[in-house]
Amino acid sequence: MTATATGTKTRTEILISGFGGQGVVRMGQILGLCAIKQGHRVTMLKSHGTETRGGYVRAQLVISPEDVDSPVVESADVFVAFSAPAYKKFYDCCSGTILYDPEMVEEIRPGAPARHVAVPATALAKERFNNVLFANMIMLGALTRVAGLDYEAMRTAMPEVIPRFHEQNLAAMDVGYTLPVATGSRP
Amino acid sequence: MATIVRADVTRELVAPWAEWERRYTQGRRLLEAGTYALTEGAIAAGCRVFAGYPITPATDIAEYMSKRLPEVGGYYMQCEDELAGMHACAGASLGGLKAMTATSGPGYTLMHDAYGWALTNEIPLVVVDAMRVGPISGITGAPGQGEFYVARYCTHGGNFETIVLSPSSVQEAFWLTIDAFNLSERFRTPVTILTDQVVSDMWEDLFIPDAYDALDFIVPRKHNLMMPFFPLGTADLDVPPNLVGQGTGVCVSAYTHTEEGYDIEEMEAQWAQTYRLVNKIRHHRAELARYETLGLEDAEVVAVAYGADARTVKTAVREARRRGLRAGFVRPITLWPFLDELFARDCHYVVCELNYDGQLVREVTRAAPDKGKVHFMGKSAELHTVAEVVAGLEGVARAGRIPELPYIWTEVR
């Protein structure tokens, strides 16, 4: 029995996971709202420990032009790993591309380098903004590029979800969107 | 074996909001949580009082209510516990306002005394139970479906029927909450919205119609100012709720009561009261049927699930059909009174629910023509995966039994 029994091809599954406080759910909210504005149906499951910060957090998004039945990501098209435990725990739930932060996920599985995109979001957030909190927006920019999503729509959706620091957050998205590793050979 | 199984099967949704959704299309499309939808549904339905005690995963309902109710001229009341919360709701409703409380399993249990008061005194109000895995406090952030029977027997003493509805999406939570208020007014009884941690915490695209005042399907609060306050021995619907104060003279008591509401210790009065509490629901079962089905026209194996769990189960049914199985899907939305008629078809049933002891499966077994063809797939604290349910459906279709799967229990006895 495989874990990839989802037959419907119209759905896009995105899995984001890391520690509490890294902005995992915020990223999911922006992705979801952006898709809704483009007329799609969206579900987002968020699960977390009881802690506000430090515990594990996971956001599972399903985006589809049609009604979404199962909201569970069993075979992610894109997996964003913000921590080593998240990478290990959900690796098998992904059949597509894995975006990971190399500062958090130091070791990746051998054998599938093409699936992996290293996005040094935390390092860049510290370097460019002197604040690790912008790592999620750098990752969102990179994800938008790698997944071929509408970047302008994403930039429009962001300020509706994040209450403050819009300019810096947009700048952080730009950093991720223009990363060579994201623009690479991928569409 | 080249069986051709149609993929474009019939989907049937029997619920009043199927029509509401067609008629009201002007509004906002949001990405919001189930708790938000439950709150907005209540506000749209005219709820003006929330009294309760916060508990995960229903806390956000209290929080949203504390913000929204003052905006619409309503009242939010933080109580010392759930028992006080539900009693306060009953009091608010007797005072003439629509009221709601929200909790999870541990608080729902504490409400049983207040539930009995509201039920026997025919006080309309709505209770949300966002189920998490148990027993007792269990895990706060994990879904369960352990209150299927607790919601039916929501107080002691017997001699009553209950109305329990369960949504499976954020959008449905919005419409269903309005429906719950409508039924509560029409049947003069508390209605439980039995939801779960996934539906309440999940974020989904949500359509909210623009002007709540323009929704013509909302049953407004009416006031009964005259005797008989309790039409004992009848099963009439649409009896306006009683109003305490305003000189009506109605009495509200936990004891067997007269038509005025005064205590009485006579068998005839008890029988007449029971007749009303049971039959106002039983005689109007047709008004209460809400369900969704898929592919019943040719199904040999029907998956049964409700709430959030029905979402992955439905995807599994579609996947099973894609693989050539004559699979069908039944999702009761009205859990109580139980919709026996959904299980009239003589076929295999695979009942998926989020508990290991088996609750819904017992009712399906009772209602199904062939008890030997009812199978149980219990899981705990996590939704069934599509892969698990497909494996279960295939196992039953090919070998008449659910295969051994990790985390799945199949024994009911």
Side-chain angles (χ1 to χ4, degrees):
Chain A
M1 190 183 74
T2 65
T4 57
T6 309
T8 323
K9 290 284 177 252
T10 54
R11 47 190 272 156
T12 303
E13 299 189 1
I14 300 173
L15 175 62
I16 311 168
S17 186
F19 296 118
Q22 286 178 314
V24 162
V25 172
R26 281 291 199 217
M27 249 183 96
Q29 284 175 318
I30 298 166
L31 279 163
L33 186 64
C34 180
I36 287 173
K37 286 173 173 294
Q38 294 179 304
H40 291 291
R41 309 298 304 273
V42 172
T43 68
M44 181 175 77
L45 293 177
K46 56 186 177 68
S47 42
H48 47 76
T50 47
E51 314 89 339
T52 308
R53 293 194 174 78
Y56 99 94
V57 175
R58 173 176 47 154
Q60 305 177 62
L61 277 107
V62 181
I63 298 169
S64 171
E66 294 158 15
D67 284 0
V68 177
D69 290 328
S70 169
V72 178
V73 170
E74 295 185 44
S75 174
D77 300 286
V78 183
F79 169 32
V80 177
F82 264 119
S83 76
Y87 177 81
K88 278 193 197 125
K89 189 167 176 161
F90 301 120
Y91 183 89
D92 290 333
C93 296
C94 180
S95 57
T97 308
I98 301 172
L99 279 76
Y100 69 102
D101 189 327
E103 188 163 322
M104 303 292 170
V105 186
E106 291 175 342
E107 229 179 292
I108 62 166
R109 295 234 192 141
R115 293 179 58 198
H116 288 77
V117 181
V119 180
T122 305
L124 285 168
K126 279 192 268 191
E127 182 189 312
R128 304 283 180 87
F129 304 96
N130 199 28
N131 189 339
V132 292
L133 290 181
F134 291 99
N136 65 339
M137 289 302 109
I138 294 173
M139 190 62 90
L140 179 64
L143 188 157
T144 304
R145 191 65 171 253
V146 169
L149 303 173
D150 185 332
Y151 188 53
E152 275 316 306
M154 203 67 72
R155 284 173 60 92
T156 311
M158 188 278 290
E160 292 186 38
V161 175
I162 309 277
R164 290 186 296 162
F165 305 117
H166 293 159
E167 278 182 28
Q168 282 147 295
N169 278 310
L170 286 171
M173 285 173 72
D174 287 343
V175 169
Y177 191 73
T178 52
L179 271 183
V181 69
T183 57
S185 58
R186 290 167 198 282
Chain B
M1 43 168 212
T3 37
I4 294 171
V5 177
R6 290 175 54 212
D8 57 332
V9 286
T10 313
R11 174 186 179 244
E12 194 184 14
L13 173 68
V14 174
W17 51 88
E19 187 215 334
W20 301 347
E21 278 183 322
R22 277 196 298 275
R23 288 177 48 219
Y24 292 91
T25 52
Q26 292 296 310
R28 299 168 289 153
R29 291 188 74 233
L30 312 167
L31 176 65
E32 278 295 351
T35 47
Y36 179 94
L38 290 156
T39 305
E40 278 306 312
I43 299 290
C47 174
R48 290 300 176 264
V49 173
F50 181 98
Y53 189 86
I55 178 172
T56 305
T59 300
D60 288 359
I61 300 173
E63 196 174 332
Y64 286 131
M65 279 291 192
S66 69
K67 177 171 177 285
R68 285 294 277 130
L69 281 168
E71 291 173 0
V72 295
Y75 307 90
Y76 172 84
M77 187 172 170
Q78 169 69 52
C79 294
E80 69 268 35
D81 58 31
E82 289 85 349
L83 180 61
M86 192 166 178
H87 274 300
C89 284
S93 188
L94 283 171
L97 295 175
K98 292 185 183 177
M100 179 167 104
T101 188
T103 188
S104 186
Y108 193 59
T109 302
L110 298 180
M111 288 176 179
H112 287 198
D113 176 65
Y115 214 120
W117 271 82
L119 197 145
T120 201
N121 287 302
E122 303 191 43
I123 302 170
L125 56 90
V126 172
V127 189
V128 177
D129 174 6
M131 293 183 286
R132 60 196 215 190
V133 65
I136 314 294
S137 295
I139 300 171
T140 58
Q145 291 183 323
E147 281 106 87
F148 176 77
Y149 280 121
V150 174
R152 166 63 184 87
Y153 297 105
C154 51
T155 192
H156 56 270
N159 297 318
F160 60 87
E161 288 279 349
T162 34
I163 301 175
V164 180
L165 310 175
S166 183
S168 80
S169 71
V170 170
Q171 184 66 61
E172 191 170 80
F174 175 77
W175 296 121
L176 180 145
T177 302
I178 299 175
D179 187 35
F181 272 95
N182 282 352
L183 294 176
S184 176
E185 295 296 317
R186 297 194 62 206
F187 284 80
R188 287 212 322 186
T189 194
V191 171
T192 293
I193 298 175
L194 197 62
T195 185
D196 52 66
Q197 180 269 336
V198 173
V199 168
S200 57
D201 271 358
M202 175 165 58
W203 292 60
E204 286 193 284
D205 56 289
L206 169 67
F207 168 78
I208 298 273
D210 272 336
Y212 294 160
D213 290 346
L215 304 177
D216 64 4
F217 50 80
I218 286 166
V219 177
R221 171 55 64 96
K222 296 183 182 125
H223 308 292
N224 182 26
L225 305 171
M226 295 184 292
M227 274 283 284
F229 296 115
F230 298 98
L232 307 171
T234 81
D236 296 349
L237 270 197
D238 298 311
V239 179
N242 293 319
L243 191 62
V244 163
Q246 315 277 328
T248 59
V250 63
C251 185
V252 176
S253 151
Y255 289 92
T256 296
H257 51 225
T258 65
E259 289 190 330
E260 290 171 282
Y262 286 95
D263 298 357
I264 183 168
E265 296 200 343
E266 283 179 16
M267 299 308 179
E268 287 74 12
Q270 172 56 39
W271 296 332
Q273 181 175 328
T274 297
Y275 182 93
R276 170 144 186 84
L277 294 181
V278 169
N279 289 329
K280 70 176 175 180
I281 291 173
R282 283 193 189 168
H283 289 189
H284 302 282
R285 284 172 46 90
E287 306 255 359
L288 291 164
R290 281 119 180 83
Y291 58 87
E292 182 188 0
T293 63
L294 192 76
L296 287 195
E297 59 265 43
D298 65 354
E300 291 170 357
V301 187
V302 170
V304 186
Y306 71 96
D309 207 35
R311 300 284 293 271
T312 53
V313 170
K314 191 171 158 195
T315 299
V317 167
R318 290 191 192 278
E319 172 63 17
R321 292 192 73 90
R322 206 180 60 78
R323 295 185 185 192
L325 246 62
R326 292 191 191 280
F329 171 72
V330 169
R331 174 172 71 94
I333 299 170
T334 308
L335 299 183
W336 300 104
F338 195 72
L339 304 176
D340 286 24
E341 60 270 30
L342 295 181
F343 308 96
R345 189 181 172 85
D346 187 4
C347 62
H348 284 280
Y349 293 96
V350 173
V351 183
C352 301
E353 56 182 314
L354 297 181
N355 62 68
Y356 279 146
D357 45 292
Q359 300 187 17
L360 173 66
V361 64
R362 291 172 198 273
E363 291 305 307
V364 177
T365 305
R366 186 185 52 72
D370 186 345
K371 297 178 193 336
K373 291 190 199 162
V374 179
H375 312 267
F376 177 48
M377 279 187 87
K379 201 178 178 187
S380 188
E382 205 170 62
L383 297 184
H384 287 77
T385 66
V386 173
E388 283 163 359
V389 179
V390 169
L393 293 171
E394 282 180 338
V396 168
R398 307 238 155 92
R401 56 186 292 276
I402 311 261
E404 271 195 36
L405 295 163
Y407 311 115
I408 300 289
W409 286 26
T410 57
E411 291 295 321
V412 181
R413 281 171 295 279

